[in-house]
Amino acid sequence: SRAAASPDGRSVAFIRENRPGISLVGVETGQLEAELPSPFSGGDGIAFSPDNHFLAGYGHRTIEIWIPQQRSLVARLNAHRDGVSSVVFSSDMRFMASTSIDNTAKLWRVGDWAELATFSGHREGVMRGTFSPDGKTFGTGCADGTIKLWHLGTHREMASFKPLSLVWYVAFSPDGNSLACAPGAGPLYLLRAPSLEEIDSQDKGRRTAPSFR
């Protein structure tokens, strides 16, 4: 997204259309609080960490990690072979994940920003990623309509299903029991998210896709 509200609700960050940089504006005052000298502009994106400490900017093949309160850049990651489509943090702040139109997603460790895993298997660009609330599963949505679920402990693919012809957005519900997905424009679909126990109890060749509800 080109704009993001901070988790504490005090500021909004956005990328300018006509020049590089990330701007932060106070919600109550409407005043400019900071300008971060980032190279991103136009169609690039940003994402806050859940604890409000980090702000990730992403575009092209690169991710930058900022501490906005200090106006300091703490990491610049040459993340993917092609454009970065999204960045998301886990709720427990252990991980950050990125998705890319290079058909992969990557898992990073928050703090030292080491690359932990590359999730490969999609046949087209990966548009969005989502962490389950319990921190055990990562979900990816692909331009070919496929959603894949990955085990964060082993980094292996656990399930794959194709509910739509295009998945532009995907997100777990707060209780982790459902997955919301959308093609970018049009209706929002809710799927039943299989639990780890369900997946583990079934042979891979006999897995069935989660049902719509």
Side-chain angles (χ1 to χ4, degrees), residues 107-130:
L107 186 69
W108 309 85
R109 184 167 52 221
V110 171
D112 64 3
W113 310 105
E115 181 182 329
L116 300 177
T118 298
F119 300 123
S120 301
H122 284 291
R123 296 183 178 181
E124 293 188 28
V126 185
M127 308 313 297
R128 290 294 186 276
T130 179

Side-chain angles (χ1 to χ4, degrees), residues 80-83 85 99-105 118-127 140 142-143 148 150:
H80 288 272
R81 299 189 310 272
D82 211 333
S85 53
T99 63
S100 171
I101 60 174
D102 69 3
N103 301 3
T104 70
T118 298
F119 300 123
S120 301
H122 284 291
R123 296 183 178 181
E124 293 188 28
V126 185
M127 308 313 297
T140 50
C142 180
K148 291 182 182 291
W150 311 84

Side-chain angles (χ1 to χ4, degrees), residues 97-184:
S98 57
T99 63
S100 171
I101 60 174
D102 69 3
N103 301 3
T104 70
K106 290 192 175 185
L107 186 69
W108 309 85
R109 184 167 52 221
V110 171
D112 64 3
W113 310 105
E115 181 182 329
L116 300 177
T118 298
F119 300 123
S120 301
H122 284 291
R123 296 183 178 181
E124 293 188 28
V126 185
M127 308 313 297
R128 290 294 186 276
T130 179
F131 287 98
S132 63
D134 64 8
K136 296 180 179 179
T137 306
F138 182 62
T140 50
C142 180
D144 69 359
T146 302
I147 294 174
K148 291 182 182 291
L149 300 180
W150 311 84
H151 191 283
L152 286 174
T154 63
H155 306 151
R156 69 179 178 90
E157 180 184 325
M158 301 187 300
S160 180
F161 43 95
K162 188 174 182 179
L164 303 171
S165 60
L166 166 67
V167 175
W168 202 274
Y169 301 101
V170 64
F172 277 99
S173 62
D175 61 9
N177 292 328
S178 301
L179 275 170
C181 61

